[in-house]
Amino acid sequence: MENGAVYNETTEPEAKTSRRRPLGFTLRRLRGWRLPVKVIQAILSFVAVVCEEIVEDCSNCSGLYFFEFISCSAFLLSLLILFVYCTDVYESVGEDSVQKL
């Protein structure tokens, strides 16, 4: 008993977990025509934000402020969609949660 035969290993060695980057880039979920459409949407909404900021003087600014809100929201949401679908955030959050959003 003094040779240590009684104390055999009782647990299995841990399997190595695959190391992936926290924000790995992938295009698996935006294939075909969906990726170019989302990129064009982000570019056009950014152009709309820039064009709105160029306006220096207006007589009735309520429509301009509404346009600013809509174009800025569209830009931020299209960036969020690209970020979620083109990184590993989609898998870490879960497909059901992303679909609910």
Side-chain angles (χ1 to χ4, degrees):
M1 284 203 195
E2 291 182 24
N3 62 2
V6 176
Y7 299 106
N8 290 332
E9 291 186 26
T10 57
T11 58
E12 294 181 16
E14 282 188 37
K16 280 190 163 183
T17 58
S18 63
R19 285 190 41 114
R20 66 177 193 195
R21 293 175 287 169
L23 294 177
F25 184 76
T26 181
L27 297 176
R28 282 183 292 174
R29 288 171 291 280
L30 284 178
R31 291 187 182 176
W33 58 272
R34 292 176 65 197
L35 179 64
V37 167
K38 290 298 177 187
V39 170
I40 290 172
Q41 178 184 4
I43 291 170
L44 290 177
S45 57
F46 179 72
V47 167
V49 170
V50 170
C51 288
E52 184 277 327
E53 291 298 326
I54 292 174
V55 174
E56 293 179 7
D57 191 25
C58 64
S59 58
N60 188 4
C61 295
S62 60
L64 186 64
Y65 293 146
F66 181 71
F67 179 74
E68 177 183 13
F69 172 74
I70 296 298
S71 59
C72 186
S73 298
F75 176 64
L76 294 176
L77 287 175
S78 61
L79 285 182
L80 178 67
I81 288 170
L82 282 172
F83 178 75
V84 167
Y85 279 97
C86 292
T87 59
D88 290 334
V89 172
Y90 185 85
E91 293 169 355
S92 62
V93 170
E95 186 175 346
D96 294 335
S97 300
V98 171
Q99 295 298 328
K100 288 179 184 178
L101 281 172

